[in-house]
Amino acid sequence: MLQIDRVSRSFAGVEALRNVTLEIAEGEVVGLIGPNGSGKTTLFNVISGLFPADRGVIRFRGYNLAGLRPDQIAALGIARTFQTPRVFHRMTVWENLACAVFAGAPRTSTLGVDDRRHVEALLEKSGLDHRAGELAENLTLPEQRRLELVRTLVADPGLILLDEPAGGMTPAETEAMARLIEDVVPDGRSCIVIEHKIDMIASLCQRICVLDFGQVIADGNADTVLKDEAVLEAYLGRGKRA
Amino acid sequence: MVDFIQNTLDGIFIGSSYALLAIGFTLIFGVMRRLNLSYGPSIMLGVFAGTLLYIQLNAGLLVVGLATVVGAVLAGLYVERICFWAVRRGAALASMVSSFAIWMQLEEAVTIVFPDRTYPFPPLADFTLKLGPFWVRGEHLIMFICASLLTILLHLLLYRTRFGLAIRAVSENPTAAKFMGINTGLVVMFAFALASVIGGVAGYLIASTDQQVTPLFGLWATFKGLIAMTLGGMGSIPGAIAGGLLLGVIEAQSVWYLGTEYRDLVAYAVLFAFLVFRPGGLFAQKSAMQSRLAARRV
């Protein structure tokens, strides 16, 4: 579904991504971990079109993403969330989702019955159904993160990029977010999750990819990767650094 | 007291046209976070398109009105392409400076085609109503009704249609809007066109009340719109309305109690007072500013 082939990206001479190669299959949920500044969010930004790769190719369902704008990439079926939730604060919860319906269907001028049912179902799953008329700025951080997550699902994307979906949450809220992701993300969708909470990543992802200094240093089965010496050293601070 | 109320009424009527100008500035500022100094001159171009048809063909009110709005929209889209689309990735200052350059360009172009100081514009109405001790000029009343209707339509557009949702999304968080699949470039262009329609209507109402146009109309419209927007709160449509009405009332009272020559002096004094004591304007958008600052921390 997604092929990232030797992608590099530099900022002012600093290589944020170095020859990153990664392949995500249909329906696969992959954890993307690494220390701060290892290039995880940069990879999301390059995939979603915020800025282009200096070198390398990214293909999604066969389409080369080079030169496409973020909205064109979103239209192909790639949705994302952000470290800091980017919900529309001055819109209601319902309007946030309605906006996503319209963004995903350029020829639609009003919400149809199916659209409304779809939005209502997502609101119910996310536990936000009782807050549909509330301005998003009045939601708590976990609620804003849940809203942002379900907003990505409105247009039925093929690939979802989740950037620290449990950032700033308590253990109980993190657990609830993990269950929500499990609940809403399957159905053949692929997903890449950036998260520092290893327990959450281990429970959600069959596969984990580790970035360090912009390079992939490990990629494979979650159990194996989390025991890898290079990963323990780079990410968990064990081994030689301990 | 009767004089004070009469002045307030006159100020509200005139202020409704300032409110329209401020709404146009606000729409553009909302989606771009940049000031479009050419907004007034692009309206001026529309007004001169209307006056051209009036002078040359003796066109009726409707045709003159349509020409004014169409002229303002075309000029507005020209400004968007040159000053904002072309330098979208550049600094906000570059867009503002280039919009100033286009202002000069439009003013020069109109001066070349219309070298005289003033030109006639057809009047909208010629009647006066007496309501108890108060007088209401017909064109003021029509101006107020049109401005109110346009504001209601704009509200419905922004809060009841997909296009309105897209404008609000881009205004609040253009990055999130982009990643949701909204073509922000297209939304900005439509917002410019919408602002130009509103500006065109405002220009038509003002010119038909004055029954004359001058190439300095652009300068006047830019100043009035900017002051009204700043008084109300930059980026806020309710603020633009309140700022426009407040400016109108301040001007009307100043003219009556101090004299015409003090009108602008008092208006600018009030503007400076707002900038010092309430820089966010009447409808300061604290939460929106906070959310934008938060949004920068990707």
Side-chain angles (χ1 to χ4, degrees):
Chain A
M1 173 177 261
L2 180 77
Q3 288 103 31
I4 302 169
D5 187 14
R6 285 169 291 169
V7 163
S8 299
R9 171 74 201 195
S10 300
F11 296 99
V14 177
E15 269 198 310
L17 295 175
R18 278 193 276 178
N19 287 321
V20 172
T21 295
L22 196 63
E23 198 156 318
I24 312 291
E26 198 95 31
E28 198 172 22
V29 180
V30 178
L32 184 62
I33 63 172
N36 285 330
S38 59
K40 306 180 296 294
T41 298
T42 302
L43 184 61
F44 271 18
N45 288 341
V46 171
I47 295 170
S48 55
L50 185 62
F51 36 72
D54 296 332
R55 291 187 303 279
V57 178
I58 302 177
R59 289 182 189 280
F60 177 69
R61 289 174 169 161
Y63 290 98
N64 187 342
L65 302 186
L68 296 184
R69 296 190 309 262
D71 59 294
Q72 292 171 319
I73 291 172
L76 287 175
I78 297 179
R80 71 169 290 184
T81 65
F82 299 86
Q83 280 177 23
T84 305
R86 290 198 174 202
V87 294
F88 300 120
H89 292 91
R90 281 173 284 159
M91 288 187 194
T92 63
V93 169
W94 177 272
E95 283 176 328
N96 265 272
L97 299 185
C99 200
V101 172
F102 291 135
R107 290 173 201 281
T108 307
S109 56
T110 52
L111 290 186
V113 177
D114 290 343
D115 293 324
R116 286 181 181 278
R117 280 193 191 135
H118 183 40
V119 168
E120 281 162 8
L122 287 171
L123 283 173
E124 200 179 325
K125 276 185 177 176
S126 61
L128 292 171
D129 44 344
H130 64 293
R131 308 209 68 181
E134 190 76 58
L135 282 180
E137 67 184 357
N138 296 332
L139 301 184
T140 62
L141 175 69
E143 285 174 330
Q144 289 192 13
R145 288 205 182 281
R146 295 209 302 267
L147 173 60
E148 197 184 30
L149 172 65
V150 293
R151 196 178 66 183
T152 65
L153 297 164
V154 167
D156 200 17
L159 172 67
I160 304 169
L161 310 173
L162 300 178
D163 197 347
E164 296 192 29
M169 289 189 182
T170 63
E173 290 162 351
T174 302
E175 175 65 19
M177 175 54 86
R179 297 293 75 82
L180 178 62
I181 294 172
E182 273 180 343
D183 192 25
V184 296
V185 166
D187 303 331
R189 290 191 186 99
S190 304
C191 183
I192 307 178
V193 188
I194 294 177
E195 188 51 70
H196 287 293
K197 291 169 180 166
I198 297 299
D199 289 347
M200 181 183 179
I201 285 285
S203 76
L204 277 176
C205 312
Q206 309 85 29
R207 182 181 151 203
I208 293 178
C209 175
V210 188
L211 280 181
D212 192 23
F213 291 110
Q215 284 182 303
V216 176
I217 59 167
D219 182 5
N221 177 278
D223 292 338
T224 316
V225 166
L226 291 175
K227 288 173 187 159
D228 187 289
E229 274 304 311
V231 173
L232 293 175
E233 188 197 340
Y235 189 55
L236 302 175
R238 294 185 195 162
K240 289 173 192 170
R241 288 182 193 177
Chain B
M1 192 61 187
V2 171
D3 290 341
F4 182 82
I5 295 172
Q6 177 70 60
N7 295 335
T8 304
L9 276 176
D10 289 343
I12 287 172
F13 290 140
I14 294 281
S16 62
S17 65
Y18 298 164
L20 288 182
L21 295 172
I23 287 171
F25 268 109
T26 299
L27 270 175
I28 295 169
F29 183 77
V31 294
M32 295 294 297
R33 315 314 299 177
R34 293 173 191 189
L35 280 179
N36 173 20
L37 296 178
S38 293
Y39 184 58
S42 59
I43 297 170
M44 179 264 298
L45 203 83
V47 170
F48 270 94
T51 211
L52 182 68
L53 289 183
Y54 178 60
I55 294 166
Q56 298 291 328
L57 306 172
N58 200 25
L61 279 176
L62 190 64
V63 175
V64 171
L66 276 175
T68 304
V69 172
V70 170
V73 170
L74 291 177
L77 292 177
Y78 169 70
V79 171
E80 192 272 335
R81 289 288 102 175
I82 298 288
C83 305
F84 294 89
W85 181 80
V87 288
R88 191 163 289 162
R89 288 175 189 276
L93 191 61
S95 289
M96 199 167 82
V97 171
S98 62
S99 74
F100 179 73
I102 297 295
W103 170 353
M104 294 296 118
Q105 186 194 49
L106 294 178
E107 208 167 277
E108 282 297 313
V110 167
T111 310
I112 290 167
V113 180
F114 298 91
D116 292 345
R117 190 174 169 80
T118 57
Y119 287 85
F121 201 88
L124 196 57
D126 190 18
F127 65 90
T128 304
L129 289 179
K130 191 161 188 333
L131 303 169
F134 307 113
W135 293 91
V136 178
R137 283 173 60 187
E139 60 266 34
H140 280 180
L141 188 63
I142 292 174
M143 181 187 274
F144 182 74
I145 291 169
C146 288
S148 304
L149 284 176
L150 204 57
T151 308
I152 292 167
L153 282 176
L154 178 69
H155 180 84
L156 291 175
L157 181 85
L158 289 177
Y159 288 88
R160 294 279 186 272
T161 69
R162 64 165 292 162
F163 173 53
L165 265 182
I167 287 187
R168 288 164 60 205
V170 173
S171 297
E172 193 176 328
N173 197 326
T175 306
K178 247 183 252 180
F179 286 112
M180 270 173 55
I182 294 174
N183 184 340
T184 51
L186 205 60
V187 171
V188 167
M189 202 171 78
F190 279 132
F192 259 81
L194 180 61
S196 300
V197 168
I198 293 167
V201 173
Y204 173 74
L205 293 171
I206 294 162
S208 61
T209 301
D210 293 346
Q211 296 180 32
Q212 62 175 17
V213 290
T214 150
L216 291 176
F217 182 87
L219 172 80
W220 180 89
T222 293
F223 280 179
K224 297 296 179 193
L226 276 179
I227 295 172
M229 178 173 76
T230 311
L231 292 179
M234 290 174 87
S236 160
I237 288 191
I241 298 166
L245 298 181
L246 179 63
L247 179 61
V249 172
I250 289 169
E251 285 188 355
Q253 300 291 2
S254 309
V255 168
W256 183 261
Y257 290 109
L258 301 172
T260 313
E261 64 273 26
Y262 285 95
R263 185 184 65 180
D264 290 341
L265 196 69
V266 173
Y268 284 117
V270 172
L271 173 68
F272 289 133
F274 262 81
L275 288 174
V276 172
F277 298 109
R278 195 174 168 82
L282 292 169
F283 286 69
Q285 291 188 305
K286 193 178 170 190
S287 62
M289 187 61 79
Q290 282 172 340
S291 64
R292 267 193 295 282
L293 289 173
R296 285 184 194 153
R297 302 192 296 265
V298 182

